[in-house]
């Protein structure tokens, strides 16, 4: 026994990780500075106190720094510790926040499901049935024909739960289907719901039912027909613009009349304006109580967010602690002006940014053309696209253009800035200022990009 204990005492203990493991083949924790020579190179993921055991000579080391934030939970009146960890690249000394690969993968799969799921497919409608979402044409083993309706629509019966359903026109149960077209047009033209009900003589109950109907039809249309592999981006253009906006939702209850702020990310094709991907910081498949119970069961409050098993969504406790920290740093004035949705859950915005960038990259993965991604000066969004398009950027097949806006400038200041830019462009291109002012927007942008690349 003494011999066995002696051998076990000489064994090296397993190394503790300083970077989370890859999840589903995805690992976005590396230097995200495209100008760095170590851009896209994964660092050594293990902690090595005192340099023992030493890291392999061909592995990037760098330094992982963390900042702990302590806040008092209102619900449990207990001290909870939060971590924000950063990887500092030894080549460029730039810092990149360590992200949770599992949470990003889960959100990416959720966004992918929203585009690929077709709710209009005729199938068993029983919740929990194995045949739910499986059409009779693709899976005839789950169904049997069960006569027809008076209008001639075929009826099927599920072999698993014995429930029946019809296959017919989507609006066959609408008593006033003639109103669908005009209601849809008014919704697309931002007519208020009260005016729509007044113009079309429709109740709010019927209007909300039609909105759900339109949503299912549009989602089915996207799942059936949206295929970017057949698009020739060399012909239609390969420039895309990404932007985010804050949507204010009405307060869920009169007891606290505070709107819910939700972020909306959108990437559009420059020439056609087609929306490539739109991501909403909201997941209706869960409730806040379920998210809180899930977090309490996992008991991960003292664990860094990057290493947690459940880090995709906000919980009530974490959200309140986050607002307290923002108020201490004077980022917000009043905590009472913010709240979470009462139905559904709020996705962490940084997780949404990375998942959105990955969805855009997956859509454009088959485009054998140079890509240009344009976005505003949001460092988190820039790093998300730099991480998602790391292979394309390294191969010089993708570029990211950052546009900054100064919303406090007056018209005279804007005109002065434009004139200074035209004078600078005239000096580097050799063209006269009058010639530059006569260029079209497309030619002006092409001249500016070519001169920036040459410099």
């Amino acid at each position: 026994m003494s011999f066995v204990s002696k051998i076990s005492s000489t064994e090296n203990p397993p190394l503790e990780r300083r970077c989370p493991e890859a999840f589903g083949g995805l690992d976005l924790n590396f230097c995200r500075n495209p100008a760095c020579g170590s851009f896209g190179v994964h660092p050594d993921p293990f902690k090595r106190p005192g340099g023992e055991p030493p890291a392999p000579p061909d592995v990037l080391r760098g330094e992982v720094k963390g900042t702990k934030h302590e806040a008092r939970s209102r619900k449990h009146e207990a001290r909870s510790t939060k971590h924000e960890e950063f990887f500092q690249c030894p080549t460029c000394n730039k810092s990149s926040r360590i992200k949770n690969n599992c949470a990003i993968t889960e959100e990416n799969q959720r966004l992918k499901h929203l585009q690929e799921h077709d709710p209009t497919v005729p199938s068993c409608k029983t919740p929990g049935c194995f045949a739910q979402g499986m059409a009779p044409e693709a899976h005839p083993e789950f169904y049997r024909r069960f006569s027809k309706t008076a209008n001639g629509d075929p009826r099927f019966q599920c072999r698993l739960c014995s429930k029946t359903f019809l296959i017919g026109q989507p609006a066959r149960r609408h008593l006033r289907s003639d109103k669908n077209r005009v209601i849809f047009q008014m919704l697309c033209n931002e007519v208020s719901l009260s005016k729509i009900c007044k113009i079309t003589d429709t109740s709010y109950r019927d209007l909300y039912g039609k909105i759900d109907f339109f949503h299912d039809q549009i989602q089915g249309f996207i799942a059936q027909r949206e295929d970017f592999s057949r698009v020739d981006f060399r012909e239609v253009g390969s420039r895309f613009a990404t932007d985010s906006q804050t949507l204010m939702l009405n307060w869920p209850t009169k007891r606290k009349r505070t709107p819910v702020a939700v972020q909306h990310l959108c990437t559009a094709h420059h020439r056609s304006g087609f929306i490539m991907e739109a991501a909403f910081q909201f997941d209706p498949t869960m409730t806040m109580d379920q998210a809180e119970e899930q977090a309490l069961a996992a008991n991960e409050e003292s664990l860094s967010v990057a290493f947690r098993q459940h880090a995709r969504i906000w919980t009530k406790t974490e959200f309140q602690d986050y607002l307290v920290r923002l108020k201490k740093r004077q980022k917000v004035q009043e905590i009472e002006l913010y709240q979470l949705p009462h139905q559904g859950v709020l996705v962490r915005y940084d997780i949404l940014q990375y998942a959105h960038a990955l969805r855009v990259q997956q859509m454009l993965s088959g485009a054998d053309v140079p890509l240009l991604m344009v976005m505003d000066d949001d460092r988190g969004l820039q790093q998300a696209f730099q991480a998602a398009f790391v292979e394309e950027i390294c191969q010089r097949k993708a570029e990211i253009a950052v546009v900054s806006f100064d919303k406090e400038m007056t018209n005279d200041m804007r005109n002065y800035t434009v004139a200074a830019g035209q004078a600078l462009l005239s000096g580097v291109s050799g063209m006269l200022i009058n010639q530059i002012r006569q260029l079209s927007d497309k030619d002006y942008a092409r001249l500016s990009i070519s001169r920036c690349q040459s410099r």
Side-chain angles (χ1 to χ4, degrees):
M1 294 298 293
S2 61
F3 178 72
V4 175
S5 62
K6 183 177 181 180
I7 294 179
S8 62
S9 62
T10 60
E11 293 181 353
N12 294 327
L15 295 176
E16 183 181 356
R17 298 189 68 93
R18 60 175 189 165
C19 296
E21 297 184 21
F23 188 86
L26 179 69
D27 188 1
L28 300 177
N29 293 306
F30 45 76
C31 178
R32 306 187 189 108
N33 179 18
C36 177
S38 301
F39 172 62
V41 179
H42 291 89
D44 181 17
F46 298 106
K47 294 181 179 180
R48 302 181 186 274
E52 295 294 335
D58 56 342
V59 175
L60 186 69
R61 182 61 187 166
E63 186 178 0
V64 174
K65 299 180 179 180
T67 303
K68 296 182 179 180
H69 299 275
E70 295 184 353
R72 188 169 296 276
S73 171
R74 290 186 176 184
K75 182 176 180 180
H76 302 285
E77 293 298 325
R79 184 174 296 274
S80 60
T81 305
K82 311 298 179 189
H83 299 260
E84 290 181 356
E85 296 178 321
F86 297 84
F87 166 69
Q88 186 174 3
C89 177
T91 306
C92 64
N93 291 325
K94 297 290 185 180
S95 298
S96 302
R97 179 173 295 181
I98 296 180
K99 297 299 179 181
N100 191 304
N101 297 316
C102 177
I104 295 174
T105 303
E106 291 176 352
E107 183 63 15
N108 179 41
Q109 293 175 351
R110 185 185 75 90
L111 297 179
K112 183 179 180 181
H113 174 75
L114 290 177
Q115 287 200 330
E116 296 181 352
H117 174 64
D118 186 359
T120 63
V121 172
S123 64
C124 180
K125 306 299 181 183
T126 305
C129 181
F130 183 79
Q132 187 179 13
M134 300 182 181
E137 295 182 357
H139 302 275
E141 66 276 9
F142 294 144
Y143 304 100
R144 64 168 64 93
R145 290 187 176 272
F146 202 75
S147 70
K148 296 183 179 181
T149 64
N151 295 329
D153 296 330
R155 182 187 289 113
F156 288 85
Q157 184 182 41
C158 178
R159 297 176 183 269
L160 303 180
C161 64
S162 301
K163 298 294 184 180
T164 61
F165 61 93
L166 304 177
I167 297 180
Q169 294 295 326
R172 62 185 180 273
R173 295 184 178 179
H174 290 202
L175 298 179
R176 305 181 65 180
S177 59
D178 57 306
K179 303 288 186 180
N180 290 350
R181 183 182 181 87
V182 63
I183 290 178
F184 184 74
Q185 289 177 337
M186 286 191 287
L187 287 172
C188 294
N189 287 276
E190 301 180 355
V191 181
S192 64
L193 300 184
S194 59
K195 289 185 178 180
I196 293 177
C197 293
K198 186 175 181 179
I199 294 173
T200 61
D201 192 20
T202 305
S203 64
Y204 278 102
R205 177 178 176 274
D206 293 340
L207 177 59
Y208 284 120
K210 291 185 181 295
I211 292 176
D212 293 338
F213 170 76
F214 295 148
H215 175 267
D216 291 342
Q217 296 302 311
I218 294 173
Q219 193 171 359
F221 181 87
I222 293 175
Q224 296 171 13
R225 305 196 181 190
E226 194 172 83
D227 184 9
F228 294 106
S229 63
R230 299 181 297 177
V231 179
D232 186 3
F233 287 101
R234 191 177 300 275
E235 178 181 355
V236 302
S238 57
R239 189 186 306 173
F240 305 89
T242 302
D243 194 12
S244 63
Q245 59 181 159
T246 304
L247 303 181
M248 306 302 294
L249 308 182
N250 289 337
W251 48 80
T253 175
K254 293 182 178 179
R255 292 191 297 270
K256 185 178 181 181
R257 303 196 175 193
T258 303
V260 180
V262 181
Q263 296 294 327
H264 179 257
L265 271 174
C266 183
T267 296
H269 184 248
H270 169 71
R271 188 176 298 177
S272 64
F274 183 83
I275 304 300
M276 301 288 296
E277 170 71 13
F280 198 49
Q281 191 192 4
F282 179 76
D283 185 2
T285 60
M286 291 184 65
T287 63
M288 292 304 306
D289 293 336
Q290 291 175 348
E292 196 75 21
E293 294 175 359
Q294 187 182 71
L296 291 176
N299 192 21
E300 298 176 329
E301 287 189 0
S302 61
L303 190 63
S304 172
V305 177
F307 290 87
R308 294 183 184 180
Q309 183 180 0
H310 306 289
R312 186 178 64 91
I313 58 178
W314 282 106
T315 62
K316 295 180 181 178
T317 305
E318 283 189 311
F319 189 73
Q320 292 299 324
D321 293 344
Y322 175 69
L323 292 178
V324 171
R325 296 200 304 270
L326 288 182
K327 187 175 181 180
K328 288 183 178 180
R329 291 153 53 185
Q330 297 183 353
K331 296 289 185 179
V332 296
Q333 299 296 330
E334 297 293 337
I335 297 179
E336 290 73 15
L337 299 179
Y338 302 89
Q339 68 169 326
L340 292 171
H342 289 199
Q343 295 181 351
V345 291
L346 197 66
V347 181
R348 292 179 183 270
Y349 186 49
D350 60 329
I351 300 298
L352 182 71
Q353 288 177 327
Y354 280 79
H356 176 82
L358 285 174
R359 285 294 302 143
V360 177
Q361 189 275 335
Q362 293 165 2
M363 294 176 180
L364 302 176
S365 58
D368 190 16
V369 293
L371 304 174
L372 178 60
M373 316 302 298
V374 184
M375 61 194 66
D376 58 2
D377 195 4
D378 184 343
R379 189 168 185 267
L381 190 61
Q382 296 171 31
Q383 289 202 352
F385 273 84
Q386 290 163 5
F389 287 86
V390 57
E391 295 184 3
E392 290 82 357
I393 295 176
C394 291
Q395 298 173 5
R396 298 188 178 274
K397 293 183 178 179
E399 294 181 345
I400 297 178
V402 179
V403 182
S404 300
F405 297 93
D406 188 355
K407 299 181 180 180
E408 297 181 357
M409 294 179 63
T410 62
N411 288 333
D412 293 337
M413 297 171 63
R414 295 189 183 100
N415 294 332
Y416 175 79
T417 304
V418 171
Q422 292 176 350
L424 178 62
L425 187 59
S426 174
V428 298
S429 64
M431 298 178 60
L432 298 177
I433 295 182
N434 292 333
Q435 294 176 338
I436 293 178
R437 291 175 178 174
Q438 293 176 359
L439 293 175
S440 62
D441 293 341
K442 184 177 180 180
D443 293 337
Y444 186 87
R446 185 178 302 170
L447 178 63
S448 302
I449 294 175
S450 63
R451 291 304 168 185
C452 290
Q453 292 175 346
S454 64
R455 295 179 64 184

